[in-house]
Amino acid sequence: MLKRIGINVFVIMIKIYYTFFDTPLSEKMFDKYLGLLPEILKADILKCKRWEDRQARLLGKLLLKKGMADMSLTLDNIRLTTYGRPFIDYSIDFSISHTSGCVVCAITKKGRVGIDIEAVTRLNFSQFENYFTKDEWKKITAASVPTDYFFHFWTRKEAVVKADGRALTIPLNNFEVIKNSVILGKYRWKLLTLKIKEKKYKAHLAYNEEQFIEMIFELF
């Protein structure tokens, strides 16, 4: 069941759409919403085996469709880069992420964006040490609630590599996200913590500082 949709608005062209869900859509409603999307996006959704993943990907594409419509644009010309990153043209950028029960989508007419969200859950995170720098790992293991720090840094790293566009071809321990900006590839990326109302989530946005130096934002 689709519970609600909210919008976080960044004054200079970044919009973040989000939605929560906790039960599967009926087959009829799922097929109806799926029919609203281009074929290239349908394939990405239908390859998922779990209903949660299929529905999350469907909702993510519907949020993107809503964002494009708000800009008087459509999804008709969507394509994929050589790294599998979807794009429409290089004057529009967007990023989608989902986790247990929540989907987020960032879209902008300027620069590049990357977004990531994770549900904070119990996790044996010791196996992930090699994904972090030494200083990041020290902060995680020394924290009073290590899982919070783990997901804090993890979503920051994921947001940056999504904005960069080369995805996980970039080793996550090659750059550090302790500060609110990081140089990766051609750009310096700014990092913003997103306050999703439900406390069980960690979410971050990465955006290109050169394009958004004067950005004013309002979160609600």
Side-chain angles (χ1 to χ4, degrees), residues 1 6 8 13 19 22 28 30 34 40 46 56 87 117 122 125 136 141 144 150 192 216:
M1 177 175 140
N8 292 335
M13 301 307 297
T19 189
D22 54 14
K28 181 179 180 180
F30 185 93
L34 189 67
I40 191 172
L46 294 175
F87 72 97
I117 186 170
R122 290 185 178 180
F125 54 80
E136 289 168 343
T141 55
S144 57
F150 172 84
L192 179 69
I216 300 171

Side-chain angles (χ1 to χ4, degrees), residues 60-110:
K61 304 308 185 295
L62 291 174
L63 293 179
L64 175 60
K65 182 179 175 66
K66 168 63 176 170
M68 296 297 290
D70 287 348
M71 295 180 175
S72 300
L73 300 169
T74 71
L75 295 176
D76 293 341
N77 297 318
I78 197 163
R79 293 175 286 166
L80 300 177
T81 68
T82 55
Y83 293 98
R85 189 181 195 268
F87 72 97
I88 295 172
D89 65 52
Y90 288 104
S91 65
I92 302 292
D93 198 40
F94 61 88
S95 181
I96 300 171
S97 181
H98 62 84
T99 188
S100 177
C102 187
V103 188
V104 290
C105 175
I107 185 168
T108 182
K109 283 187 175 181
K110 281 191 173 183

